[in-house]
Amino acid sequence: MINNIFKKIGQLSQANAEIIANDWHYEGEYSFYDMKNDQEDYDEIMSQELRSDHYYQVLDGDNKLVAFFCLEPDDQDSMKAEIGLGLAPSLTGHGLGKEFIKVIEDYVKQNFAFKTYILSVAEFNKRAIKVYQKAGYQETGSENVHTNGGIYKFIIMTKSV
């Protein structure tokens, strides 16, 4: 479908943070990932101070926002980082997940010294879990997380690089 759509990575701008927070809406069960469904996530992405330098935007060749990711170093182990990510709603379900993960990993390898990447994915999101497994991530645990007005089980997946 779309080849190499992920062209440019940089710090998330306020304008693009507002697009993600206010305009990106996912279909069906994936609406779970709409930023407005979790006040803490919404507040974090909307505030430059809360985002700090942990959020990145991914643009296509026309400088259009197509994805974002955040990178949170582990408090206990400086060689580990948790990656959070989001793809524009119009691009989900088109087989771009594995390529997007590779783009993120390549960027992290070039700019940081982390040796282990951690992903946390809602248990119901079988589509994402399958993509992460194909990209070499292994399930290493689970946790119950208070989010979106409830408690949800998240699968922890890791990959050593």
Side-chain angles (χ1 to χ4, degrees):
M1 180 195 149
I2 302 168
N3 191 11
N4 201 11
I5 190 169
F6 310 109
K7 295 286 190 182
K8 300 176 191 168
I9 296 175
Q11 289 292 305
L12 180 62
S13 70
Q14 185 63 36
N16 282 338
E18 291 175 16
I19 289 170
I20 294 163
N22 296 316
D23 300 338
W24 282 15
H25 303 291
Y26 298 93
E27 297 292 321
E29 66 185 349
Y30 299 105
S31 67
F32 177 87
Y33 295 105
D34 289 3
M35 288 288 175
K36 286 187 174 181
N37 287 336
D38 185 280
Q39 192 64 48
E40 188 177 333
D41 289 346
Y42 183 84
D43 291 347
E44 182 174 312
I45 201 164
M46 289 295 288
S47 166
Q48 173 60 51
E49 184 179 344
L50 294 176
R51 279 194 318 267
S52 183
D53 60 353
H54 298 289
Y55 278 76
Y56 300 86
Q57 61 191 17
V58 183
L59 309 177
D60 67 11
D62 296 322
N63 289 322
K64 181 181 176 203
L65 178 67
V66 294
F68 77 96
F69 65 95
C70 58
L71 193 60
E72 293 284 338
D74 187 286
D75 291 336
Q76 278 79 44
D77 185 342
S78 64
M79 292 289 102
K80 292 181 178 181
E82 183 168 355
I83 299 171
L85 56 106
L87 193 58
S90 63
L91 298 176
T92 62
H94 295 289
L96 296 171
K98 190 172 177 188
E99 180 183 353
F100 181 37
I101 293 291
K102 182 171 177 6
V103 166
I104 293 169
E105 290 175 347
D106 288 348
Y107 182 83
V108 173
K109 283 178 196 170
Q110 291 171 11
N111 294 282
F112 302 94
F114 302 118
K115 298 297 180 199
T116 302
Y117 304 150
I118 304 164
L119 298 171
S120 181
V121 58
E123 181 181 44
F124 77 83
N125 193 346
K126 303 298 185 202
R127 185 168 72 186
I129 292 169
K130 189 174 180 180
V131 168
Y132 301 155
Q133 287 171 333
K134 286 183 179 179
Y137 288 80
Q138 306 223 347
E139 185 175 333
T140 54
S142 65
E143 64 183 343
N144 291 320
V145 177
H146 292 271
T147 186
N148 295 40
I151 300 173
Y152 297 88
K153 185 174 183 180
F154 278 73
I155 306 301
I156 309 301
M157 303 183 78
T158 60
K159 179 178 182 178
S160 296
V161 292

